[in-house]
Each structure stands twice: as C-alpha cells, then as structure tokens.
Amino acid sequence: MIAYIAKFLKALNANTNPGEIAHGAACGFLLGLMPKDNLLWWVVFIFVFFVRINKPAYFIVLALGTLIAPAFDNLFDQIGNAVLTKESLYAFYGFLEEIPFVAFTKFNNTVVMGSLISGLILYAPVYFLARLFISLWRKHAVMILRNSKIIKVIGKVPVISKIVSIAGDKI
C-alpha cells in the first residue's frame, strides 16, 4: 500500500495527465461503493485494468470507497429497490435472467443495483472534483508543503521517508 501512495503522490506532482488520475479516482469510487461478492464487481474490476487510468489513484480511492460504502447501504437499497421494481423494466430483467452467468452478477440485489446506479451517477462529479483537487494541489499545495517546517520534520519519520524515496523525492 505504501508503494501505491508513493506512486500516487509522484503522479500528482509529475506531468501525469490529470484526466488519468481523475478517471482512476472515479473508477475506484464506483467500485468502492459496490459489494464485492458478485461477478459484476469482478468484471468491472478486471475491465479497469485494460483502460488507461492511474492505477494508484484507482486503488487508493477504491479502498476509501470501500470504507464509506457500508454507511450508505440503506440509501443503495432504496435506489436499487426503485430501479428493480420499475414495471417497465420487468421484461428486460427477465431477459437478463435467462442469459447464462448473468445471475452471478447479482444485478437483482437491491444494494448491488443501487450502488451501481449511485456510482455511475457520481462518476462525473468525482472525476471533476479530482481534476479540481489535482489542479489546486499542483498550483498551491506543493510549494506550501515543500517549505513547511512540519513537513520537513514529518519527512524524517522512517515510513514517510520510505514513501518519499519510492516517489523519487518529488513530494
């Protein structure tokens, strides 16, 4: 995990395309919200490896999303219930149930469907917030942190110095 944090910090401070970092964060947030015990999660998880995104940002935000997702399970259940009980979609759901292996995606679980819909809706806002964060970080935070006495003292802590050495002294 330390290596991912170091690579993420290195990407924030390097000429890495902000869009790649932001898409990594948005994909990580999408998957972080979803329950991990279904085929749908694994399909999306593996699909992301074939897309050009910042993998450290993806894994860090995935871990953070996983931590906060249980707090929203009631909301995901309500959203999923509203989507799955929509009468006009019954024929489509019946069609999906007849396809082999689709049942393993657990799309008919209200929490899975609600978290998927929520993640898809929040993808764009998370992307734009990540882009804003990266822009502000590169313009303001780096110089402030580099010259801070507190950061210099914290940089002497062994774990932090290891992260800095992995990141290549770009922090």
Side-chain angles (χ1 to χ4, degrees), residues 78-89:
Q78 292 172 6
I79 293 169
N81 188 40
V83 170
L84 290 172
T85 57
K86 188 89 170 152
E87 274 190 54
S88 60
L89 296 174

Side-chain angles (χ1 to χ4, degrees), residues 63-131:
L64 294 174
T66 300
L67 292 175
I68 66 167
F72 296 100
D73 277 350
N74 278 340
L75 177 64
F76 297 152
D77 182 50
Q78 292 172 6
I79 293 169
N81 188 40
V83 170
L84 290 172
T85 57
K86 188 89 170 152
E87 274 190 54
S88 60
L89 296 174
Y90 284 173
F92 177 67
Y93 297 143
F95 169 74
L96 288 179
E97 282 289 332
E98 293 176 10
I99 299 173
F101 300 108
V102 171
F104 294 121
T105 63
K106 294 187 180 176
F107 76 90
N108 57 351
N109 181 312
T110 56
V111 175
V112 171
M113 181 61 77
S115 62
L116 175 64
I117 298 295
S118 299
L120 291 172
I121 290 170
L122 292 172
Y123 189 94
V126 170
Y127 173 82
F128 289 115
L129 285 173
R131 292 276 310 229

Side-chain angles (χ1 to χ4, degrees), residues 142-156:
V142 172
M143 294 310 293
I144 292 170
L145 290 175
R146 260 193 204 150
N147 299 327
S148 171
K149 291 179 183 179
I150 294 171
I151 295 299
K152 291 177 182 177
V153 170
I154 292 173
K156 294 179 182 178

Side-chain angles (χ1 to χ4, degrees), residues 6-52:
K7 289 178 183 177
F8 175 67
L9 291 173
K10 187 175 184 178
L12 278 178
N13 299 317
N15 278 337
T16 304
N17 184 351
E20 288 180 18
I21 300 170
H23 277 300
C27 287
F29 190 73
L30 169 72
L31 276 182
L33 294 181
M34 293 176 56
K36 304 340 173 230
D37 64 343
N38 60 73
L39 183 63
L40 182 61
W41 189 89
W42 286 102
V43 166
V44 175
F45 179 77
I46 291 170
F47 172 75
V48 168
F49 285 105
F50 298 105
V51 179
R52 188 177 179 142

